[in-house]
Amino acid sequence: IQQRSVGRHGGEYWYFFCRGSQDGTCDAPFANVNNIEAAVEEHYKEVELSPEFIQIVRDNLERAMRDEANAEHLRRAQLEDRLVALQAKEDNLLDLAADASLPSERIRQRLRDLGRERDGVREQLDTATTDLNTGKAHIETFLELLTDIRALYIASSDEVRRSLNQAIFNNLYVANDDVIGDDIKQPLRELLAAQRGWKAYSADLGHTAANASAQAERARHTGPQQEETARMGGLLGSDLSVRLTEAILAGIEEDGDS
């Protein structure tokens, strides 16, 4: 909660305080708005992408798109095969019903079960991503935004700062005038994770360590004790950091072999 205070000489001061202090469940001190703003400025170092990594992402984005498209095609094919198998089972049950080979109630129950499973498969097919261009354009927009993002934030008006914070963070967590954590929006969270993986690989730590570093960075920016959200489709998916890291590492290896 934000509160305005006026000093004895008429000066105006703004503070944040925890809602829990009103009912005695939190004893955190009031936080000066200017101190919090300075802490947010400093925290923007945590969301910067290096110019070298931005160029590497652009160079390897097409590779990541191909990998994701192939994976999505395989998922769709598996779901469609499952629908065919369910239809065959349903046809067999109807034949048994016509021959009175099984009790009718048992057949009806199995048909209901098949119907529920078929509905679930169709729902997965409906939500499967087939067009990855939207995800690519979204990533490109973030790459443009994150070119020297901290300098942009510091130089911006309060209104632009608010817009930047809303574009980048779901939440910022503050305690005692410091930013202690964040929950970063997609796809920036995945780009930061991929950057950490790239740095690990560039330090000759190998594929396994690179992917582990990427996953650790991704977890660091999902907020405290936050449950994993449902997988988003396409290039905005929760496994983008793995696919993008793998694409970048593959590109580095190809360049080294050529």
Side-chain angles (χ1 to χ4, degrees):
I1 299 176
Q2 193 174 40
Q3 175 176 299
R4 172 180 172 272
S5 297
V6 178
R8 68 177 63 182
H9 300 296
E12 185 178 71
Y13 305 92
W14 288 91
Y15 294 89
F16 289 116
F17 67 93
C18 178
R19 188 183 301 274
S21 64
Q22 295 177 319
D23 58 14
T25 59
C26 178
D27 60 358
F30 282 39
N32 183 279
V33 168
N34 292 331
N35 294 342
I36 295 297
E37 189 57 59
V40 173
E41 289 179 4
E42 185 67 17
H43 189 71
Y44 261 76
K45 292 179 180 178
E46 299 290 324
V47 301
E48 286 186 323
L49 298 177
S50 70
E52 296 83 3
F53 179 74
I54 288 175
Q55 187 57 52
I56 285 174
V57 171
R58 289 191 170 118
D59 292 343
N60 289 277
L61 193 52
E62 290 295 334
R63 184 194 304 273
M65 285 187 67
R66 287 198 306 271
D67 291 346
E68 182 64 23
N70 290 337
E72 197 67 40
H73 178 76
L74 178 60
R75 283 193 290 270
R76 290 187 66 86
Q78 290 172 338
L79 291 171
E80 289 166 354
D81 288 345
R82 184 57 184 160
L83 280 180
V84 171
L86 290 173
Q87 184 62 53
K89 288 184 177 181
E90 188 175 87
D91 292 342
N92 290 337
L93 283 173
L94 292 173
D95 290 340
L96 290 173
D99 294 340
S101 301
L102 286 175
S104 58
E105 180 54 36
R106 183 178 176 187
I107 290 176
R108 283 195 294 270
Q109 181 58 50
R110 292 179 64 179
L111 286 172
R112 285 193 291 268
D113 293 341
L114 288 174
R116 283 192 292 269
E117 185 175 356
R118 182 175 58 247
D119 290 343
V121 172
R122 285 175 175 168
E123 183 178 352
Q124 292 181 64
L125 275 172
D126 290 341
T127 57
T129 300
T130 56
D131 182 7
L132 303 179
N133 290 324
T134 300
K136 180 184 178 185
H138 200 44
I139 291 173
E140 290 283 3
T141 298
F142 264 84
L143 292 177
E144 291 292 336
L145 174 65
L146 295 167
T147 302
D148 207 7
I149 182 64
R150 183 168 180 266
L152 173 62
Y153 184 81
I154 291 174
S156 295
S157 65
D158 288 345
E159 183 178 356
V160 173
R161 287 185 176 206
R162 186 179 303 109
S163 296
L164 287 172
N165 287 333
Q166 291 173 347
I168 292 172
F169 302 104
N170 289 315
N171 292 293
L172 279 168
Y173 301 97
V174 177
N176 301 325
D177 290 354
D178 286 324
V179 177
I180 61 171
D182 58 35
D183 176 9
I184 292 180
K185 293 183 177 180
Q186 302 282 33
L188 176 55
R189 185 193 306 164
E190 304 303 330
L191 291 171
L192 288 170
Q195 177 175 247
R196 179 58 63 89
W198 165 69
K199 286 181 178 179
Y201 189 79
S202 299
D204 295 327
L205 298 182
H207 272 81
T208 301
N211 280 324
S213 295
Q215 290 302 312
E217 182 72 359
R218 178 172 172 267
R220 192 167 74 91
H221 292 296
T222 57
Q225 300 178 346
Q226 177 172 309
E227 293 294 330
E228 182 58 39
T229 56
R231 181 186 183 278
M232 298 170 64
L235 284 178
L236 304 184
S238 60
D239 58 354
L240 171 61
S241 58
V242 173
R243 294 195 180 280
L244 192 51
T245 299
E246 288 292 349
I248 290 169
L249 302 191
I252 292 173
E253 291 178 341
E254 285 184 5
D255 292 341
D257 293 338
S258 60

